[in-house]
Amino acid sequence: TPAPSGPLLPSSPTLLPPTPSSSVPSAPPSATSGVLAPPGMAAEGASLFLSASLDATGSKLLLSFGPLPTNQANMGSAPGDCSIFLTSVTVSKIVGAGSGERDCIWLSPTVVQVSLSSTSALREGDVITVRAGVIHPAEIGGLRLANATRPCFALGDGIDRCARGNLSVQLPTNPLRPTAKLTVPTATSVCDPMKVSAHNSVGGGVRPLSFAWALESVVPRVNEGNAVSRITIGLRSLLSSTTGPELIIPIHLSPPLWELNISLQVVSFMTSRSLPVFATLK
């Protein structure tokens, strides 16, 4: 059978998958002071001021930085002046009325210890402020920032990687418990007040301890009737109002007509309380 006559129709075009465009290579990292930024480090690696807390004894302030090891404010491991990396307002609180030229020492590349003296004015909640442009990572991805003219901006991305800002001083999680110690007179006189001393109590850190005296009981040696009740009221008032390390019991409240049982707890400025100690005054 002959093929039908007429014009030939064009065949359907064959569709080909598009040719993927070649990726444009990223621009080389920028440089600041001749130091190139490692790839992938554009927004990472800044030194952060992480914490400011007292140690368990209350005599040291520990400041931590991270997450990377720092340049230790170029102080090395020797004691140095805290004003190298702390503001003058912060240092004045740390030093107080004393002298603190060499109060700071780095215990590791991320932790610095600040020694506090009894003259320090630093308290819980006080603000510690770090000087800008001083503490930075020692290196990032093999790049030693100390070799740069401007180490805070050594990666060339405009991001400041030096530690800055402020934090409030926190109390330690487990402060050292102070120890109360009583010294009771071995002999008493009816003509003199009785003195009980707690001067040997220890564990207050750089702040004086506070003293919580209490009357446990009054035991009469003779039948004094209502006198015991009056004595008890007077002694409770005396002990509760005594906040120092010495308890002075006036003659009219002192033994030997009655036996006094007292207790004492000492409290540090970090609110840590000692175990109670007891004494019998005869």
Side-chain angles (χ1 to χ4, degrees):
T1 305
S5 60
L8 297 176
L9 298 175
S11 60
S12 300
T14 302
L15 298 178
L16 299 176
T19 302
S21 59
S22 59
S23 59
V24 179
S26 58
S30 58
T32 299
S33 306
V35 180
L36 295 180
M41 297 301 297
E44 300 176 4
S47 284
L48 303 176
F49 184 17
L50 299 177
S51 66
S53 63
L54 296 168
D55 73 346
T57 68
S59 61
K60 310 289 184 184
L61 175 67
L62 301 176
L63 309 177
S64 66
F65 299 84
L68 299 177
T70 72
N71 66 327
Q72 300 179 212
N74 296 328
M75 294 170 61
S77 57
D81 191 340
C82 299
S83 63
I84 293 174
F85 63 93
L86 296 177
T87 63
S88 58
V89 173
T90 298
V91 172
S92 66
K93 290 181 181 179
I94 291 171
V95 175
S99 173
E101 294 181 356
R102 306 183 69 81
D103 281 331
C104 290
I105 184 169
W106 287 82
L107 304 180
S108 75
T110 56
V111 178
V112 61
Q113 174 184 282
V114 182
S115 297
L116 304 176
S117 70
S118 58
T119 63
S120 175
L122 196 68
R123 298 289 188 274
E124 175 194 7
D126 283 347
V127 174
I128 303 296
T129 304
V130 175
R131 291 167 59 95
V134 180
I135 297 174
H136 58 74
E139 64 176 58
I140 300 178
L143 173 68
R144 291 190 60 81
L145 302 192
N147 297 332
T149 304
R150 299 177 64 212
C152 295
F153 299 91
L155 299 192
D157 54 10
I159 297 177
D160 184 352
R161 285 177 167 80
C162 282
R164 61 176 59 244
N166 53 69
L167 290 172
S168 297
V169 175
Q170 304 295 316
L171 293 178
T173 304
N174 296 305
L176 186 68
R177 171 176 277 179
T179 301
K181 296 183 179 181
L182 283 176
T183 301
V184 179
T186 56
T188 59
S189 169
V190 295
C191 300
D192 299 313
M194 177 177 284
K195 296 181 181 180
V196 182
S197 173
H199 284 287
N200 292 330
S201 300
V202 295
V206 295
R207 298 280 178 276
L209 290 164
S210 58
F211 299 80
W213 300 87
L215 178 68
E216 298 297 321
S217 65
V218 176
V219 181
R221 291 185 173 182
V222 295
N223 185 8
E224 289 291 325
N226 294 330
V228 173
S229 177
R230 293 196 302 271
I231 292 300
T232 300
I233 294 173
L235 285 170
R236 290 195 189 282
S237 176
L238 171 67
L239 271 69
S240 64
S241 62
T242 301
T243 57
E246 189 171 63
L247 173 66
I248 301 176
I249 304 176
I251 296 173
H252 70 283
L253 295 177
S254 298
L257 295 180
W258 35 80
E259 183 177 286
L260 309 181
N261 295 305
I262 65 171
S263 67
L264 171 70
Q265 280 187 295
V266 293
V267 186
S268 73
F269 77 99
M270 297 183 291
T271 68
S272 179
R273 299 179 73 90
S274 72
L275 294 173
V277 292
F278 302 89
T280 298
L281 310 179
K282 300 181 179 179

